[in-house]
Amino acid sequence: MTNRQGATLALWVGLLLLALWWAFNKTTVRSDLSLFLPSGANPVERLLLDELNTGPATRLLLLAIEDGSEDQRVFASRMLANTLKQSELFSRVENGTVSLDIIQAKPLFRYRYLLSSNIDQDALSTQRLKQALSTRLQELQAPLPSPFKPLMSADPTGEYQSLLRQWLPKSRPHLTQGVWSSEDGKRTLLVVETHASAFAIDVQQQAVELVQSEFQSLDTNEQLNLIISGPGAFGIQSRALIQSETKTLSLLASAGVMLLLFMAYRSKRYLLIAIAPLASALLAGIVVTSLLFGELHGITLAFGVTLLGITIDYPLHLFSHLRQGESAENAVKRIWRTLRLGVITTCIGYLVLITTDFT
């Protein structure tokens, strides 16, 4: 090997190691499927897509605590709700306990008189105000403190209470010791709303893992069982199943291809050379995409691997056209026009993908 060949080999090895380091340490793989939703042609479609992407229904996680005693389930429900409310991953945590978030209610409280259906010409008359203040006094004298007590001075007529009562559903979950439970009382129930969309599977997985870890810290005796459902949980399970089956099928397919190549050419060297273009193309694609866009989408990676599979054809063309005693360099020169035609037609076919609407 000449000095020039040695320097070239060292350069390629250095670039390979740098690309490997970047691919494993600097590349962020994204799995948010919201990028593949259409933009919507009119306001109604855009509203529907917004609800599918970021609507409350897609961000809910339904939790159920079962087994153990009733007191254990109720205690775990309250403690878990209090802990999850401190996390920035969740926008709401409800388990049936009566609470009033004054800060969150400010917009509704500010417009209570505009929203209320009880406001008429006599709403602020002396007689009506006297009746309202008498009702507030009875609430203050009740044995259980009213959650609306801090608002009474600003809302003496109780319009805000009336609004909330009007919006309460006609049928509500069963209560056990003040927290939601199933009708048979064997499960306590919680509803958790995440800030992230259900399509943001990575963030949803963080939320689910946090719920599971906090529950395990509460259930030190392992007498309780936690069930998690909802769009985010379904997305996590679906991704895990897809990844597992993809890895299994990919390994089987790769093993089958390598076995077929080894049976055809009876050479480990040829096998490694045939894989080199595919591996290097995949590595280069990951690094370039990461540098240009700052991240790599999982579907881009999967689709890219499929497209780059064509690169294994060229070494196979070379091996299949090698003659007895002929060097690889001479064989390439002899079939170069055919290889070049294959490269050109492949590039023409794949360059059409530049016109796609997807980022």
Side-chain angles (χ1 to χ4, degrees), residues 185-226:
K186 294 182 179 180
R187 291 178 177 176
T188 55
L189 309 174
L190 300 92
V191 176
V192 176
E193 183 178 345
T194 62
H195 283 292
S197 164
F199 289 102
I201 304 298
D202 292 334
V203 183
Q204 288 290 335
Q205 185 163 1
Q206 293 178 13
V208 170
E209 289 176 351
L210 176 62
V211 172
Q212 292 173 337
S213 64
E214 295 296 340
F215 175 77
Q216 290 174 358
S217 65
L218 293 172
D219 185 25
T220 54
N221 297 325
E222 298 184 355
Q223 296 181 352
L224 302 175
N225 182 42
L226 176 67

Side-chain angles (χ1 to χ4, degrees), residues 188-318:
T188 55
L189 309 174
L190 300 92
V191 176
V192 176
E193 183 178 345
T194 62
H195 283 292
S197 164
F199 289 102
I201 304 298
D202 292 334
V203 183
Q204 288 290 335
Q205 185 163 1
Q206 293 178 13
V208 170
E209 289 176 351
L210 176 62
V211 172
Q212 292 173 337
S213 64
E214 295 296 340
F215 175 77
Q216 290 174 358
S217 65
L218 293 172
D219 185 25
T220 54
N221 297 325
E222 298 184 355
Q223 296 181 352
L224 302 175
N225 182 42
L226 176 67
I227 301 175
I228 303 177
S229 183
F234 299 151
I236 294 170
Q237 295 174 4
S238 299
R239 184 176 71 171
L241 179 62
I242 292 172
Q243 288 178 341
S244 176
E245 293 186 352
T246 301
K247 288 180 180 178
T248 302
L249 293 175
S250 297
L251 289 174
L252 291 176
S254 300
V257 171
M258 288 190 289
L259 178 61
L260 181 62
L261 293 179
F262 183 75
M263 291 176 61
Y265 299 111
R266 305 295 178 89
S267 173
K268 295 179 181 179
R269 181 186 176 188
Y270 281 6
L271 184 61
L272 293 175
I273 294 174
I275 297 174
L278 176 60
S280 59
L282 175 61
L283 188 60
I286 292 174
V287 172
V288 171
T289 305
S290 176
L291 287 172
L292 289 178
F293 298 97
E295 60 186 6
L296 176 66
H297 202 286
I299 291 181
T300 304
L301 179 60
F303 195 53
V305 173
T306 304
L307 297 180
L308 290 173
I310 195 70
T311 58
I312 203 172
D313 290 356
Y314 304 113
L316 297 187
H317 286 313
L318 173 61

Side-chain angles (χ1 to χ4, degrees), residues 103-123:
I103 297 178
Q104 184 178 358
K106 273 186 176 180
L108 293 177
F109 185 76
R110 183 182 302 125
Y111 301 110
R112 61 193 180 280
Y113 288 105
L114 294 176
L115 296 172
S116 176
S117 58
N118 299 326
I119 299 299
D120 52 29
Q121 292 181 353
D122 299 328

Side-chain angles (χ1 to χ4, degrees), residues 127-186:
Q127 183 179 359
R128 292 274 292 272
L129 285 175
K130 185 176 180 179
Q131 293 176 352
L133 291 174
S134 177
T135 303
R136 301 290 85 74
L137 180 60
Q138 293 176 7
E139 292 175 356
L140 290 174
Q141 294 173 344
L144 295 178
S146 171
F148 297 95
K149 182 178 179 180
L151 304 176
M152 285 186 179
S153 61
D155 187 26
T157 60
E159 299 304 325
Y160 186 59
Q161 297 185 48
S162 300
L163 276 177
L164 295 184
R165 290 193 181 99
Q166 292 174 11
W167 293 337
L168 286 175
K170 294 182 179 180
S171 60
R172 286 179 279 178
H174 182 72
L175 288 176
T176 300
Q177 298 186 30
V179 300
W180 287 333
S181 68
S182 57
E183 292 185 0
D184 57 10
K186 294 182 179 180

Side-chain angles (χ1 to χ4, degrees), residues 15-64:
L15 290 174
L16 175 63
L17 294 176
L18 180 61
L20 284 171
W21 174 83
W22 186 277
F24 285 98
N25 294 281
K26 295 293 184 179
T27 301
T28 301
V29 180
R30 182 180 179 184
S31 57
D32 186 357
L33 297 179
S34 61
L35 292 174
F36 297 91
L37 291 176
S39 58
N42 54 60
V44 176
E45 292 182 1
R46 287 193 289 271
L47 176 61
L48 175 60
L49 291 170
D50 287 341
E51 288 299 311
L52 290 174
N53 188 19
T54 60
T58 68
R59 295 184 281 114
L60 292 181
L61 291 176
L62 310 179
L63 314 181

